[in-house]
Amino acid sequence: MGGPAIAPIPDNPRPHVGRVLVPRERIARRVNDLAEAIEADFDGRPITIAAVMTGALIFVADLVRRLPSAMRIHLVQIRSYPGRAVASQGPTLLAGPPEDLTGQDVLLIDDILDSGRTLKRAVEEFRRAGAHAVRTCVLVAKPAEVRAADGLARADYVGFEIPPVFVVGYGMDFDDCYRNLPDIAVLEGGS
Ligand code: IMP
Ligand code: MG
């Protein structure tokens, strides 16, 4: 709340941004906590960050600036919710990991753990590329009951557990819109 009004998307007038679920101040505090936990666990070893685009964009930008460890940053693109979908259509890999990650400690970062298929697929790709260890970090996780049988059941680091609603903001989108909202809000009226 308190931010500037967001103009309606001209060709998509029905869904709208509803109540704020996680305000920006809480996000900032939690990102600090996550960074401390990650630093402690990696214990000075270099981190290979793999950011799942595009949803993790804002989260990764904030998180990495709180991690003093030596790191490389790779962008991975996996699309599960094409266009106006609000349910996972299954992950499609658009850009995968670099060919050789032998010996590297990878931290895969995504915005949301929902069915878990996206992260499961990403973990498999990074293992295949030879990573020594692959850990996972998400800003928000929907309830474990929504996980698919073939999805990743849990992430190693979770910012917030949220109800099974469709959210936008802080990088998360509906039809590629609303990523720029500073808070996490519930999308209402979408279909
Ligand atoms: P999963 O494969 O079902 O776990 O879906 C994870 C991906 O779907 C994330 O990378 C998000 O991009 C997207 N996603 C899932 N739920 C939402 C949501 O509520 N809002 C926006 N994107 C979502
Ligand atoms: Mg995504």
Side-chain angles (χ1 to χ4, degrees):
M1 302 285 215
I6 299 294
I9 307 300
D11 61 347
N12 183 19
R14 283 183 302 114
H16 66 278
V17 178
R19 72 194 161 90
V20 169
L21 200 60
V22 190
R24 63 199 78 176
E25 300 80 8
R26 269 187 76 201
I27 299 174
R29 283 197 299 273
R30 191 71 188 120
V31 170
N32 277 335
D33 296 345
L34 291 172
E36 279 179 19
I38 290 164
E39 275 294 318
D41 290 351
F42 279 77
D43 197 22
R45 290 189 307 281
I47 309 175
T48 299
I49 301 277
V52 182
M53 290 291 108
T54 307
L57 178 73
I58 312 280
F59 177 38
V60 166
D62 282 348
L63 185 67
V64 295
R65 285 177 293 169
R66 285 163 180 74
L67 295 171
S69 282
M71 66 169 60
R72 293 187 172 90
I73 302 177
H74 297 292
L75 305 182
V76 179
Q77 196 167 19
I78 300 174
R79 182 173 301 140
S80 305
Y81 285 55
R84 298 162 64 95
V86 291
S88 173
Q89 308 294 301
T92 304
L93 188 76
L94 302 178
E99 268 176 22
D100 188 8
L101 291 172
T102 305
Q104 296 188 28
D105 288 335
V106 172
L107 181 63
L108 261 171
I109 304 181
D110 203 357
D111 51 358
I112 298 203
L113 186 67
D114 185 13
S115 74
R117 290 192 176 111
T118 302
L119 271 187
K120 179 76 176 296
R121 177 73 193 273
V123 168
E124 288 166 3
E125 294 291 335
F126 277 81
R127 291 226 170 99
R128 192 171 305 145
H132 164 251
V134 183
R135 286 183 219 189
T136 52
C137 174
V138 292
L139 179 65
V140 296
K142 292 188 189 176
E145 302 84 79
V146 306
R147 245 42 104 229
D150 59 350
L152 190 78
R154 54 174 294 280
D156 297 305
Y157 306 95
V158 176
F160 302 97
E161 310 270 357
I162 63 163
V165 292
F166 199 86
V167 290
V168 293
Y170 199 74
M172 292 173 283
D173 74 304
F174 171 72
D175 202 11
D176 268 326
C177 298
Y178 308 122
R179 295 191 198 275
N180 55 321
L181 297 177
D183 308 301
I184 299 173
V186 177
L187 186 80
E188 291 179 350
S191 59

